[in-house]
């Protein structure tokens, strides 16, 4: 991604992304998380490398370094610190990272979609709702069944995570105009299924704990 711009202070072209390479003044921060960190737009990220960049950029952007700088730079340093923290929180987490890439690529991944039951889970969800109904009516006999279902959901989550890792690599090795979109579609539906199953586990936990309360 190209972020060449003229320095707001000295006017030099090709100023560099964080500090101007000629006059060293802090530049307007780039809101894109990958570009901000100077990382390629890949779904697999070396999180050690990301952490190193985070720490060194935190030091460079520390407010103490800007107390004697211009007001413009003090404002940029606050903006940049806030982007830095958001970007780090999102990019170090594979799920949030994938959601970010999807969103920036124009995919709708709204919360309300998690209400639609993925078709392959219809039976599971039906069974779960029956068991939870019985539990609410005081039938403790369904507890082993609920435990078993919870275990199966966690296994599904682990399987989705493993599949996502493979899809990330597939996405990253394809050329921009050569089928990335197709992989992003797959990732989007995997994330949808993942969120749905995560909610089922939460629901089981909630019902079990309210019963114990
Ligand atoms: Zn400059």
């Amino acid at each position: 991604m190209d972020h060449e711009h003229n320095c707001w202070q000295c006017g030099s072209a090709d100023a560099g992304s964080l500090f101007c390479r000629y006059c060293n003044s802090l530049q307007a921060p780039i809101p894109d998380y990958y570009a901000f960190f100077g990382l390629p737009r890949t779904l697999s990220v070396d999180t050690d490398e990301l952490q190193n960049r985070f720490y060194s950029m935190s030091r460079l952007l520390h407010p103490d370094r800007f107390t004697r700088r211009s007001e413009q730079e003090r404002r940029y340093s606050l903006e940049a610190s806030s982007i830095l923290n958001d970007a780090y929180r999102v990019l170090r987490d594979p799920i949030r990272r994938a959601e970010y890439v999807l969103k920036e690529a124009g995919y709708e991944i709204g919360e309300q979609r998690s209400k639609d039951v993925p078709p392959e889970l219809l039976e599971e969800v039906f069974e779960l709702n029956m068991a939870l109904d019985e539990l609410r009516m005081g039938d403790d006999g369904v507890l082993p069944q609920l435990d078993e279902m919870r275990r199966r959901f966690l296994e599904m989550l682990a399987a989705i995570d493993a599949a996502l890792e493979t899809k990330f690599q597939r996405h990253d090795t394809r050329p921009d105009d050569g089928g990335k979109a197709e992989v992003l579609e797959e990732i989007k539906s995997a994330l949808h299924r993942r969120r749905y199953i995560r909610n089922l586990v939460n629901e089981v936990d909630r019902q079990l704990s309210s019963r114990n309360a």
Side-chain angles (χ1 to χ4, degrees), residues 2-151:
D2 207 2
H3 287 279
E4 298 299 327
H5 64 281
N6 290 5
C7 172
W8 63 271
Q9 180 78 286
C10 73
S12 303
D14 178 29
S17 64
L18 200 55
F19 292 92
C20 171
R21 68 176 101 239
Y22 303 103
C23 74
N24 198 36
S25 54
L26 184 62
Q27 303 296 299
I30 302 166
D32 181 88
Y33 293 169
Y34 282 92
F36 186 83
F37 272 114
L39 290 171
R41 208 171 194 75
T42 54
L43 285 173
S44 304
V45 163
D46 178 346
T47 47
D48 289 338
E49 168 67 14
L50 179 70
Q51 191 184 51
N52 289 341
R53 290 185 189 212
F54 172 73
Y55 285 131
S56 70
M57 289 171 86
S58 301
R59 278 192 296 274
L60 289 172
L61 292 169
H62 196 278
D64 287 355
R65 297 174 68 106
F66 295 90
T67 48
R68 303 166 84 89
R69 298 272 197 130
S70 67
E71 196 193 322
Q72 174 96 316
E73 282 182 281
R74 287 204 301 274
R75 198 174 66 240
Y76 283 159
S77 80
L78 291 177
E79 287 171 20
S81 297
S82 135
I83 294 173
L84 177 69
N85 289 318
D86 291 345
Y88 184 54
R89 192 165 37 80
V90 166
L91 292 188
R92 75 178 169 184
D93 178 285
I95 302 301
R96 288 181 175 187
R97 188 193 308 146
E99 286 173 347
Y100 177 74
V101 169
L102 282 169
K103 192 165 79 57
E104 294 294 301
Y107 290 81
E108 239 358 287
I109 46 163
E111 271 300 315
Q112 71 280 7
R113 275 192 55 95
S114 61
K115 299 268 187 290
D116 316 333
V117 186
E120 71 280 13
L121 286 174
L122 278 170
E123 201 178 320
E124 236 97 20
V125 170
F126 179 75
E127 244 183 89
L128 176 67
N129 286 334
M130 297 273 283
L132 288 175
D133 278 347
E134 287 169 43
L135 182 71
R136 274 190 292 266
M137 288 186 294
D139 181 1
D140 284 356
V142 296
L143 287 176
Q145 192 196 345
L146 281 172
D147 273 344
E148 171 57 23
M149 294 179 102
R150 187 181 186 282
R151 198 187 53 76

